[in-house]
Amino acid sequence: MAIADLPFDLSSLTVFLAVCDNGSMAAAARTLKVTQPAISQTIADLENRLGTTLFDRNVRPLALTPSGTVLRQYAQTMLAEVRLVATGIQKMRLGRVPQLRMGVVDSLARALSTSISDFMHERVGRLIVHAGLTETHATALLTRQIDCVIGVDEMEDVSGLERWPLFEEPYLLLYPEHETPPRDTAELRDFLGRHPFIRFSQRSRTGAEIERFLRRLRIDVPFQQEFDLPYGVYATCRTRGVAITTPLCLYEAGYTQGCGLSCHPLPTPAFHRRLTLVVRRREFGRFPLDLALFLREQLKQDVMPALGTLFPAFVEQMRVLS
Amino acid sequence: MAIADLPFDLSSLTVFLAVCDNGSMAAAARTLKVTQPAISQTIADLENRLGTTLFDRNVRPLALTPSGTVLRQYAQTMLAEVRLVATGIQKMRLGRVPQLRMGVVDSLARALSTSISDFMHERVGRLIVHAGLTETHATALLTRQIDCVIGVDEMEDVSGLERWPLFEEPYLLLYPEHETPPRDTAELRDFLGRHPFIRFSQRSRTGAEIERFLRRLRIDVPFQQEFDLPYGVYATCRTRGVAITTPLCLYEAGYTQGCGLSCHPLPTPAFHRRLTLVVRRREFGRFPLDLALFLREQLKQDVMPALGTLFPAFVEQMRVLS
DNA sequence: CCCGTATTATAAGAAAAATTTATGCTGTCT
DNA sequence: AGACAGCATAAATTTTTCTTATAATACGGG
């Protein structure tokens, strides 16, 4: 039984309008592909619930009563609104969202912000972008303070999320260009021991991954300074120090050739950073898929060429994912 | 299963709003007096049909998703409209009708028209009154060209109608006051033979009933003239002729004492005319009952005193019915 | 006026939907 | 870590809706 005590239901209204439009219950039954008694009983039940007669059965074709005439108007309006509601919800499913709050890691702000703005303009009523660390974004996503995250996926063990891989890039050593870079793990350990190590915040996934990498190589590096933003790490290295970072981070920080710093691959095993679009499952229809496709295209068309120019030694290791 | 393929139904919307308002499915279940799984399954089905998630179940209390927020607005509006529709139909049930086309026999036009106008003013959006003969009204009622009839019931054998008896009055002989009225059937036969008989249209129930009455008494009267309207019969009698009519017809025609005509009871058996309100069954809720009660009151308060003054010999035979 | 055809109403049974019962899983708080 | 409240799910039960069978009624044509 229906939980709610309602004077009618939408199915009954649909049947009622079909009878009005077709001129008889038998014809309405044929149109709706059910039997004629199904229509007869549905109309009788509707009349019972409304407490009034809707059709005059003593003439052929059926005639509407005054109550029936009034209900017909209401019913047409109401069913049109049902379609509007469904269409409105479906627009959201198909990508149109009224408000989107997104967390973007610092390293992508410069690379994507202009093109993201264009993409969002026709798809999102209101866009709110939070720059910051993935740790903060992860918490905010899980507590529904933001709706999606672009960054290093900090929530691989969390269910109920959708993930769209975007980009993969290698970590690299940033060092003064007049130095001789290390060629193996032993030389790297020695090299990092002889230079101040500037590291990313441990609250960031990137910083945490770098620490894990060094522990795997049994390199215990006392860091001299720690920064949240890629620019902070880069600017300090230009004064004194070395860092482990990525091409995108450097691109974001404004790195140029001739800035007095060089980039050197790290010793194996390969060590990469992956950027992912993360949203809660099934809340925005296909919007996240569209956004991911768009971001990949922007990375491929705009960002990759710029990175290729700046970091020719790393081109093979930077990939737009799918 | 519901015949129509709809994106949702009103019951599901009601459940959805109850969860929104109560903050949890368990609380909504208590409010709606069903079990918690009933709510859970209803919401899941609604989400499936809309193709989007409405609640985030990974936090407590439940949080609405953006789609859920949008649907909540729509749902509140739509259910408010359902109540409006039901109220609108119920107003009709309780007596408020948008348009009423009524047939009123000629003999009642003067007696009731002013007070009917007042009564209808607050109950009927648009009133259309057709004066005329009951034969015409009966046909129009059965073919839905008019909605109710006040007059002599011409449709006693027709089912599907509601009848509200209003008034009963005697037929009487209208004759020149200088004549000696007949005292029995034989004298009546002789009397009618010696005077021109002015009769009501045979298309009217009143005319037909009078003919039947005379045939029962084996009085074969060649009529001189026939009129549709009571006034036509009355005016002609004032010139020359006699007629069988009723107090209300005379009242309608403007009969006054001193007009040169007198009224005489007809010989037994008693011969009465009954006026009835007739409508098609269950099309106007209680409106017909209200109208009948009102008409009876008007007949009692306004018409009966006037008739009592004009026709003192007939007071005992004129009755407002119930 | 009668007959044939189409339509509507109704009873009973079948099928589908909705709800309940039982129970396991998950989130939150202490 | 444990207790408690809430949500999800499977299976059983109940209710609703539809179908089948058939009778009653309206209408048009002969």
Side-chain angles (χ1 to χ4, degrees), chain B residues 251 255-257 302-313 315 318:
Chain B
Y251 174 78
Y255 170 91
T256 59
Q257 290 168 338
D302 294 344
V303 177
M304 277 292 288
L307 294 182
T309 300
L310 286 173
F311 312 100
V315 165
M318 297 185 294

Side-chain angles (χ1 to χ4, degrees), chain A residues 135-201:
Chain A
E135 182 198 46
T136 307
H137 294 331
T139 300
L141 185 72
L142 296 179
T143 60
R144 310 189 64 79
Q145 294 171 52
I146 60 177
D147 302 310
C148 72
V149 170
I150 303 175
V152 181
D153 185 0
E154 179 122 329
M155 301 160 280
E156 284 163 341
D157 296 327
V158 176
S159 63
L161 300 177
E162 289 175 8
R163 295 171 174 81
W164 307 94
L166 299 175
F167 188 70
E168 181 177 79
E169 64 178 344
Y171 283 97
L172 54 76
L173 177 66
L174 181 68
Y175 67 100
E177 65 185 351
H178 62 275
E179 298 275 347
T180 302
R183 285 166 302 187
D184 59 25
T185 302
E187 286 191 9
L188 177 64
R189 184 180 297 117
D190 181 60
F191 186 92
L192 292 179
R194 293 187 279 105
H195 295 83
F197 182 65
I198 315 303
R199 78 176 189 182
F200 280 92
S201 171

Side-chain angles (χ1 to χ4, degrees), chain B residues 106-120:
Chain B
D106 296 310
S107 54
L108 278 170
R110 177 179 161 180
L112 297 175
S113 61
T114 301
S115 46
I116 278 192
S117 179
D118 287 345
F119 176 87
M120 297 300 187

Side-chain angles (χ1 to χ4, degrees), chain B residues 58-85:
Chain B
N58 296 315
V59 294
R60 301 283 189 275
L62 294 178
L64 273 169
T65 63
S67 298
T69 301
V70 169
L71 182 64
R72 186 178 191 180
Q73 293 286 358
Y74 278 124
Q76 282 168 332
T77 302
M78 183 154 287
L79 289 173
E81 285 183 24
V82 167
R83 287 190 282 275
L84 279 176
V85 169

